[in-house]
Each structure stands twice: as C-alpha cells, then as structure tokens.
C-alpha cells in the first residue's frame, strides 16, 4: 500500500483520485502563477513575501514536477523583481 498524507480538507476536490504534476512557477508573476494553478486543478496555499513589493515567484512547495492529488495546495514564496 501507499501512504497518503492529508487532513480530509480536500473532501470537495473537483476530480477525486486524479494526480497532477506541479508546474514550474519560478520567475512568474504571482497573478499568473495563481491562474495557472487554478487552471490545472490546484490551489494556492500560503504566500510568503520576502522583501518589499513581492510579486515574482522565487520558490514553491511542492517543487516543480512533484505529483500531487488534484485540489492540492501549493505554497508560494514571492519577492520583488529580482536582480
């Protein structure tokens, strides 16, 4: 058997049992990352801003390429425009 991690908070998941890949969101504006996640069936979790004016995604969890159930949350880290 495989171990599953969850709290039951995804009871209303739109597509039960479907597994999705987390896209690479690094370098994308926050609004675009949010739209992309929602389009494929994932949701934005916690958004942590590092520095002033954070609007560009600099990291996320789970990482790009991870397989997660539909409806899963993806936590984002954002920062300013960067170097």
């Amino acid at each position: 058997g495989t171990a599953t991690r969850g709290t039951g908070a995804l009871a209303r998941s739109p597509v039960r049992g479907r597994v999705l890949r987390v896209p690479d969101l690094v370098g994308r504006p926050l609004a675009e990352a949010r739209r992309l996640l929602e389009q494929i069936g994932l949701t934005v979790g916690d958004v942590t801003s590092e520095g002033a004016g954070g609007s560009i995604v600099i990291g996320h969890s789970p990482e790009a390429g991870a397989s997660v159930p539909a409806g899963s949350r993806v936590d984002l880290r954002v920062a300013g425009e960067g170097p």
Side-chain angles (χ1 to χ4, degrees), residues 27-60:
R28 295 180 185 268
L30 177 58
E32 181 182 326
R34 183 183 307 271
R35 194 167 45 249
L36 181 59
L37 288 173
E38 291 170 355
Q39 283 177 352
I40 66 172
L42 299 174
T43 60
V44 174
D46 296 329
V47 176
T48 305
S49 182
E50 298 183 9
S55 63
I56 303 297
V57 177
I58 60 169
H60 50 86

Tab-separated table of all heavy atoms in Angstrom, residues 27-60:
chain	number	residue	atom	x	y	z
A	27	GLY	N	9.877	32.522	-11.282
A	27	GLY	CA	10.076	33.582	-12.263
A	27	GLY	C	8.780	34.156	-12.804
A	27	GLY	O	8.792	35.161	-13.507
A	28	ARG	N	7.659	33.521	-12.468
A	28	ARG	CA	6.368	34.021	-12.958
A	28	ARG	C	5.784	35.040	-11.970
A	28	ARG	O	5.982	34.920	-10.778
A	28	ARG	CB	5.364	32.877	-13.101
A	28	ARG	CG	5.731	31.857	-14.152
A	28	ARG	CD	4.653	30.777	-14.207
A	28	ARG	NE	5.015	29.704	-15.110
A	28	ARG	CZ	4.683	29.669	-16.381
A	28	ARG	NH1	3.998	30.643	-16.922
A	28	ARG	NH2	5.041	28.650	-17.142
A	29	PRO	N	5.024	36.007	-12.478
A	29	PRO	CA	4.310	36.917	-11.582
A	29	PRO	C	3.297	36.123	-10.744
A	29	PRO	O	2.759	35.110	-11.209
A	29	PRO	CB	3.586	37.876	-12.536
A	29	PRO	CG	4.324	37.764	-13.830
A	29	PRO	CD	4.850	36.356	-13.881
A	30	LEU	N	3.042	36.581	-9.534
A	30	LEU	CA	2.129	35.887	-8.634
A	30	LEU	C	0.759	35.651	-9.264
A	30	LEU	O	0.208	34.548	-9.187
A	30	LEU	CB	1.989	36.670	-7.324
A	30	LEU	CG	1.007	36.097	-6.302
A	30	LEU	CD1	1.375	34.670	-5.916
A	30	LEU	CD2	0.952	36.993	-5.079
A	31	ALA	N	0.204	36.676	-9.914
A	31	ALA	CA	-1.128	36.541	-10.515
A	31	ALA	C	-1.150	35.444	-11.580
A	31	ALA	O	-2.108	34.669	-11.674
A	31	ALA	CB	-1.582	37.873	-11.105
A	32	GLU	N	-0.090	35.366	-12.372
A	32	GLU	CA	-0.011	34.351	-13.417
A	32	GLU	C	0.122	32.953	-12.796
A	32	GLU	O	-0.502	31.992	-13.255
A	32	GLU	CB	1.182	34.636	-14.322
A	32	GLU	CG	1.330	33.642	-15.467
A	32	GLU	CD	2.562	33.926	-16.324
A	32	GLU	OE1	2.918	35.115	-16.484
A	32	GLU	OE2	3.157	32.963	-16.807
A	33	ALA	N	0.944	32.838	-11.757
A	33	ALA	CA	1.125	31.551	-11.082
A	33	ALA	C	-0.198	31.067	-10.492
A	33	ALA	O	-0.563	29.894	-10.612
A	33	ALA	CB	2.180	31.679	-9.984
A	34	ARG	N	-0.934	31.974	-9.860
A	34	ARG	CA	-2.232	31.638	-9.268
A	34	ARG	C	-3.197	31.145	-10.352
A	34	ARG	O	-3.862	30.128	-10.194
A	34	ARG	CB	-2.798	32.874	-8.565
A	34	ARG	CG	-4.114	32.647	-7.844
A	34	ARG	CD	-4.656	33.932	-7.232
A	34	ARG	NE	-3.701	34.613	-6.389
A	34	ARG	CZ	-3.568	34.380	-5.088
A	34	ARG	NH1	-4.304	33.468	-4.503
A	34	ARG	NH2	-2.689	35.053	-4.384
A	35	ARG	N	-3.251	31.858	-11.471
A	35	ARG	CA	-4.142	31.498	-12.584
A	35	ARG	C	-3.780	30.125	-13.152
A	35	ARG	O	-4.649	29.289	-13.402
A	35	ARG	CB	-4.066	32.583	-13.658
A	35	ARG	CG	-5.152	32.532	-14.692
A	35	ARG	CD	-5.212	33.811	-15.547
A	35	ARG	NE	-3.908	34.287	-16.001
A	35	ARG	CZ	-3.322	35.409	-15.575
A	35	ARG	NH1	-3.924	36.183	-14.691
A	35	ARG	NH2	-2.155	35.783	-16.037
A	36	LEU	N	-2.490	29.885	-13.332
A	36	LEU	CA	-2.027	28.612	-13.876
A	36	LEU	C	-2.398	27.449	-12.952
A	36	LEU	O	-2.893	26.414	-13.407
A	36	LEU	CB	-0.513	28.662	-14.095
A	36	LEU	CG	0.130	27.411	-14.691
A	36	LEU	CD1	-0.481	27.073	-16.050
A	36	LEU	CD2	1.625	27.614	-14.829
A	37	LEU	N	-2.168	27.615	-11.658
A	37	LEU	CA	-2.511	26.555	-10.708
A	37	LEU	C	-4.001	26.244	-10.750
A	37	LEU	O	-4.404	25.077	-10.777
A	37	LEU	CB	-2.099	26.952	-9.287
A	37	LEU	CG	-0.601	26.938	-9.002
A	37	LEU	CD1	-0.316	27.512	-7.626
A	37	LEU	CD2	-0.039	25.531	-9.109
A	38	GLU	N	-4.823	27.291	-10.756
A	38	GLU	CA	-6.277	27.090	-10.763
A	38	GLU	C	-6.737	26.413	-12.056
A	38	GLU	O	-7.638	25.590	-12.037
A	38	GLU	CB	-6.993	28.417	-10.544
A	38	GLU	CG	-6.793	28.937	-9.124
A	38	GLU	CD	-7.289	30.356	-8.925
A	38	GLU	OE1	-7.717	31.005	-9.911
A	38	GLU	OE2	-7.239	30.829	-7.770
A	39	GLN	N	-6.102	26.745	-13.181
A	39	GLN	CA	-6.480	26.149	-14.466
A	39	GLN	C	-6.252	24.647	-14.489
A	39	GLN	O	-7.022	23.914	-15.104
A	39	GLN	CB	-5.690	26.792	-15.608
A	39	GLN	CG	-6.184	28.150	-16.009
A	39	GLN	CD	-5.309	28.789	-17.096
A	39	GLN	OE1	-4.256	28.277	-17.447
A	39	GLN	NE2	-5.762	29.922	-17.602
A	40	ILE	N	-5.188	24.177	-13.838
A	40	ILE	CA	-4.900	22.748	-13.892
A	40	ILE	C	-5.525	21.968	-12.746
A	40	ILE	O	-5.440	20.748	-12.738
A	40	ILE	CB	-3.381	22.474	-13.971
A	40	ILE	CG1	-2.668	22.915	-12.687
A	40	ILE	CG2	-2.785	23.127	-15.195
A	40	ILE	CD1	-1.214	22.481	-12.635
A	41	GLY	N	-6.154	22.667	-11.788
A	41	GLY	CA	-6.850	21.960	-10.724
A	41	GLY	C	-6.155	21.954	-9.377
A	41	GLY	O	-6.479	21.159	-8.502
A	42	LEU	N	-5.185	22.859	-9.191
A	42	LEU	CA	-4.517	23.002	-7.898
A	42	LEU	C	-4.915	24.338	-7.291
A	42	LEU	O	-5.485	25.189	-7.972
A	42	LEU	CB	-2.992	22.928	-8.071
A	42	LEU	CG	-2.464	21.608	-8.643
A	42	LEU	CD1	-0.972	21.694	-8.914
A	42	LEU	CD2	-2.770	20.453	-7.704
A	43	THR	N	-4.625	24.528	-6.010
A	43	THR	CA	-4.969	25.787	-5.358
A	43	THR	C	-3.728	26.416	-4.741
A	43	THR	O	-2.763	25.720	-4.407
A	43	THR	CB	-6.028	25.582	-4.254
A	43	THR	OG1	-5.516	24.681	-3.272
A	43	THR	CG2	-7.314	25.015	-4.817
A	44	VAL	N	-3.765	27.734	-4.589
A	44	VAL	CA	-2.669	28.451	-3.952
A	44	VAL	C	-2.821	28.313	-2.448
A	44	VAL	O	-3.894	28.558	-1.899
A	44	VAL	CB	-2.671	29.941	-4.362
A	44	VAL	CG1	-1.610	30.717	-3.589
A	44	VAL	CG2	-2.447	30.069	-5.855
A	45	GLY	N	-1.742	27.899	-1.800
A	45	GLY	CA	-1.738	27.790	-0.348
A	45	GLY	C	-1.218	29.085	0.253
A	45	GLY	O	-1.625	30.177	-0.138
A	46	ASP	N	-0.271	28.963	1.163
A	46	ASP	CA	0.316	30.135	1.804
A	46	ASP	C	1.226	30.864	0.824
A	46	ASP	O	1.956	30.239	0.063
A	46	ASP	CB	1.142	29.723	3.027
A	46	ASP	CG	0.281	29.102	4.107
A	46	ASP	OD1	-0.899	29.486	4.226
A	46	ASP	OD2	0.785	28.225	4.826
A	47	VAL	N	1.152	32.195	0.858
A	47	VAL	CA	2.041	33.021	0.037
A	47	VAL	C	2.931	33.798	0.998
A	47	VAL	O	2.440	34.584	1.803
A	47	VAL	CB	1.250	33.985	-0.869
A	47	VAL	CG1	2.208	34.892	-1.643
A	47	VAL	CG2	0.361	33.210	-1.820
A	48	THR	N	4.233	33.543	0.929
A	48	THR	CA	5.196	34.202	1.804
A	48	THR	C	5.986	35.198	0.984
A	48	THR	O	6.562	34.837	-0.042
A	48	THR	CB	6.163	33.161	2.413
A	48	THR	OG1	5.401	32.149	3.057
A	48	THR	CG2	7.098	33.807	3.409
A	49	SER	N	6.009	36.459	1.448
A	49	SER	CA	6.721	37.505	0.733
A	49	SER	C	8.071	37.765	1.387
A	49	SER	O	8.148	37.919	2.610
A	49	SER	CB	5.888	38.785	0.735
A	49	SER	OG	6.547	39.791	-0.002
A	50	GLU	N	9.111	37.775	0.593
A	50	GLU	CA	10.454	38.060	1.085
A	50	GLU	C	10.893	39.402	0.524
A	50	GLU	O	11.200	39.503	-0.653
A	50	GLU	CB	11.417	36.949	0.671
A	50	GLU	CG	11.023	35.604	1.258
A	50	GLU	CD	12.003	34.501	0.922
A	50	GLU	OE1	13.086	34.789	0.368
A	50	GLU	OE2	11.682	33.345	1.209
A	51	GLY	N	10.879	40.411	1.360
A	51	GLY	CA	11.252	41.739	0.907
A	51	GLY	C	10.025	42.524	0.480
A	51	GLY	O	8.911	42.018	0.458
A	52	ALA	N	10.254	43.777	0.125
A	52	ALA	CA	9.156	44.670	-0.245
A	52	ALA	C	8.681	44.409	-1.665
A	52	ALA	O	9.463	44.064	-2.538
A	52	ALA	CB	9.611	46.122	-0.102
A	53	GLY	N	7.394	44.592	-1.872
A	53	GLY	CA	6.842	44.522	-3.214
A	53	GLY	C	6.923	43.157	-3.856
A	53	GLY	O	7.138	43.054	-5.056
A	54	GLY	N	6.787	42.104	-3.077
A	54	GLY	CA	6.905	40.763	-3.621
A	54	GLY	C	5.822	40.430	-4.620
A	54	GLY	O	4.647	40.438	-4.284
A	55	SER	N	6.217	40.158	-5.852
A	55	SER	CA	5.220	39.801	-6.857
A	55	SER	C	5.727	38.740	-7.826
A	55	SER	O	4.988	38.269	-8.668
A	55	SER	CB	4.797	41.038	-7.647
A	55	SER	OG	5.913	41.559	-8.356
A	56	ILE	N	6.990	38.332	-7.701
A	56	ILE	CA	7.576	37.320	-8.576
A	56	ILE	C	7.833	36.057	-7.752
A	56	ILE	O	8.425	36.122	-6.677
A	56	ILE	CB	8.911	37.804	-9.200
A	56	ILE	CG1	8.699	39.108	-9.969
A	56	ILE	CG2	9.516	36.735	-10.098
A	56	ILE	CD1	7.757	39.009	-11.145
A	57	VAL	N	7.398	34.918	-8.264
A	57	VAL	CA	7.587	33.664	-7.540
A	57	VAL	C	9.065	33.269	-7.568
A	57	VAL	O	9.679	33.207	-8.624
A	57	VAL	CB	6.722	32.537	-8.163
A	57	VAL	CG1	6.979	31.213	-7.460
A	57	VAL	CG2	5.245	32.897	-8.106
A	58	ILE	N	9.638	33.041	-6.367
A	58	ILE	CA	11.042	32.637	-6.275
A	58	ILE	C	11.179	31.201	-5.771
A	58	ILE	O	12.271	30.654	-5.744
A	58	ILE	CB	11.851	33.597	-5.375
A	58	ILE	CG1	11.280	33.625	-3.955
A	58	ILE	CG2	11.895	34.988	-5.989
A	58	ILE	CD1	12.173	34.338	-2.951
A	59	GLY	N	10.076	30.595	-5.384
A	59	GLY	CA	10.118	29.218	-4.924
A	59	GLY	C	8.728	28.744	-4.587
A	59	GLY	O	7.811	29.553	-4.388
A	60	HIS	N	8.541	27.422	-4.552
A	60	HIS	CA	7.238	26.890	-4.174
A	60	HIS	C	7.383	25.483	-3.626
A	60	HIS	O	8.389	24.808	-3.852
A	60	HIS	CB	6.236	26.941	-5.331
A	60	HIS	CG	6.722	26.375	-6.626
A	60	HIS	ND1	6.644	25.049	-6.949
A	60	HIS	CD2	7.306	26.982	-7.687
A	60	HIS	CE1	7.138	24.856	-8.167
A	60	HIS	NE2	7.556	26.024	-8.641
